Structures are given as structure tokens and as C-alpha cells.
Amino acid sequence: PLVIDPDTGLSIDPRNPEQQDPFEAFKRDVRLLKLRTEDNEVNTFAGFAAKRRQSLTEDEARILLEAEWEDPADTARFLESIILWDQCKEDDLASSSRFTPMVAAADAGVSNDCFGFLAVSRHPKHKQNLAVRHTKVWVPKGGRKLEFQEIEDYIYDFCKANSVVELCYDPFQLHFMQQRLTARRAVYCHEFSQGSDRLEADKGLLDLIRARRIAHSGEQDLRAHLDNANRKLAAEEKKLRIVKRMPSQKIDLAVCLSMAAYRCLALNL
């Protein structure tokens, strides 16, 4: 193994101390400089580094803003802080009516351990933004499985009582429920791809929350599910997927919000 010569600071092979380091000349000339973003704000604007940090993970911030050597982890908290979501709360958010166009989403856990249902609309004052209109979560009790007929009836009643223009769902988990709701003429059902569409939707939701373009009234279950979520970075184009931080923690409403927000912005509502 190589060791460092205390006199020269160069690496040498103790088995052959006369051997020259092939990088000696380079090491003598090299100078390591750290150009931190906050030190360059004279060429940007005051507070640029702090604002840029809001859209980065801690690993990314250390690399891009602080010029540190770091291997970025492929997972991190979905929201760097739940305060980002709390800042989207509007105490005076106008309530929806039965004529407010909404997009709903449903998501069920693989092991039948949780079921989330959520609806969003365009913001009543800012049409480029969104508003959370309804959330509902079912968690089995006493070791029993969820009663899907009860859940289906709840969704049917909600869609009939409101102007739900679309229900998006994970086809892997809810294919048969979608067929029954369609047969009952409850709502138009949209099969939401869990591949590229989910990656775009999850990244889009993060951007919406950071920009405060999605308002809510403080629904506690939704807040908890967002706080439970991690983000797993995709290989290309800085896309990401919402994943559980721990197997026991629920994120179904966070996934519902991602799908519903994506489709609501895609539709001319």
C-alpha cells in the first residue's frame, strides 16, 4: 500500500522508496479551490443560495452550493421539511360546491393495509393552482382486511354528489373496482400508469408544493402521509418516485395527491 512522505506530501511505495510518483509534477502544481455559491452572490442576487437550496436535497446542496465532495444518496425525504406543506395551508380557502369540477384519485396498499381517496380542483382564485377538496383514508382494524364494497360505495356516493370529472387509479390494484364503478356509471375512470407518468407526477407534486401552488385546509391524514414519504430518484431527467420511508408508514394519500394533481392540471377545468 502507498504511504504519504511527510516531507514532500507525495505518495510512495514503501517496498520501493526510490520509485517516482507518476503524478508528482501534477500534485506539486495543483491547487484546490472551493467556490461556494453564497460567496458569488454579487454576480447573482442576495439570498440566491438559500432559495436554490429549497429545491435540492442536502446531498445535492453540499455538492452544488458548498463545493463539497459527496456521493448523493438515491433516496431522501420527499419534502425536506413538512413546513413546506404547512405553508400551503389557507385558512380562508373557499369551500367547493357540488358544481366544482374535481379530479379524484384512489390508491390501495399492496397488502390491503390502507386505502386512500382524495379529490382536488382548480384553486377558486388562481386557476393555475390547485386546491385539495376531500380526503378519506381507510385502515383495517383488529387484524381484519378492508371491506372493499364499503369503500366502493363511498366513492360512488361521493362522485354522484359532486362534479367529479375523472377518477384516476392504479390499474394493478384497483382494476376490478374500476370496472364495477364504470358499470354503475359513477364516474369516468382513468388508468394512471405507474411508470413514467407516476415519475413525472411525483416530481410535479414536489414542485407544486415548493412553489405553494397547491392549497389545503390542514387535513391531518394527508399531512401525515406526505411526512411519511421518501423520494427515490430516477435514473434520467431528475424524475422521482414517492416511496415509503418505513414499511409500516402510510403514504397512500400522498400518491393520490400526486395522481390527482397531475391529471387536474392536464385537463381544461
Side-chain angles (χ1 to χ4, degrees), residues 96-111:
S96 60
S97 73
R98 65 182 305 269
F99 302 108
T100 302
M102 300 181 193
V103 172
D107 183 70
V110 174
S111 59

Side-chain angles (χ1 to χ4, degrees), residues 61-77:
R62 284 192 289 270
I63 296 169
L64 298 176
L65 302 181
E66 300 172 11
E68 297 289 347
W69 294 96
E70 188 98 32
D71 290 327
D74 65 349
T75 58
R77 294 182 68 93

Side-chain angles (χ1 to χ4, degrees), residues 74-76 199 230-234 239-243:
D74 65 349
T75 58
L199 293 174
N230 268 15
R231 59 174 118 148
K232 184 174 180 62
L233 299 179
K239 297 178 182 179
L240 60 89
R241 179 178 294 275
I242 294 173
V243 296

Side-chain angles (χ1 to χ4, degrees), residues 107-109 113-116 225 244 250-257:
D107 183 70
D113 63 345
C114 186
F115 193 112
H225 285 207
K244 288 183 176 182
K250 316 303 180 186
I251 62 169
D252 300 76
L253 286 176
V255 174
C256 286
L257 183 60

Side-chain angles (χ1 to χ4, degrees), residues 63-192:
I63 296 169
L64 298 176
L65 302 181
E66 300 172 11
E68 297 289 347
W69 294 96
E70 188 98 32
D71 290 327
D74 65 349
T75 58
R77 294 182 68 93
F78 176 63
L79 296 177
E80 295 88 344
S81 170
I82 196 61
I83 292 175
L84 292 172
W85 179 248
D86 293 338
Q87 290 173 335
C88 295
K89 183 181 177 183
E90 294 186 12
D91 294 327
D92 59 347
L93 180 63
S95 57
S96 60
S97 73
R98 65 182 305 269
F99 302 108
T100 302
M102 300 181 193
V103 172
D107 183 70
V110 174
S111 59
N112 195 25
D113 63 345
C114 186
F115 193 112
F117 176 71
L118 175 146
V120 302
S121 74
R122 294 293 181 125
H123 193 282
K125 296 180 181 178
H126 311 287
K127 295 301 182 183
Q128 74 277 16
N129 296 350
L130 301 176
V132 178
R133 293 308 190 180
H134 185 80
T135 63
K136 177 71 173 177
V137 63
W138 290 266
V139 179
K141 298 179 180 179
R144 293 176 295 178
K145 292 186 176 182
L146 293 173
E147 178 51 64
F148 271 61
Q149 187 59 54
E150 174 188 330
I151 298 172
E152 180 185 320
D153 290 341
Y154 182 95
I155 296 175
Y156 175 87
D157 291 340
F158 181 87
C159 292
K160 282 295 189 179
N162 296 276
S163 297
V164 180
V165 299
E166 180 177 297
L167 171 67
C168 44
Y169 68 99
D170 177 354
F172 179 73
Q173 293 295 325
L174 300 175
H175 176 70
F176 294 111
M177 180 178 287
Q178 172 269 327
Q179 286 185 328
R180 292 191 297 269
L181 287 170
T182 299
R184 297 172 70 180
R185 298 183 179 180
V187 63
Y188 166 70
C189 296
H190 174 78
E191 181 178 305
F192 200 99

Side-chain angles (χ1 to χ4, degrees), residues 37-46 48:
T37 302
E38 64 181 17
D39 297 333
N40 191 41
E41 288 190 349
V42 65
N43 294 314
T44 54
F45 57 84
F48 173 83

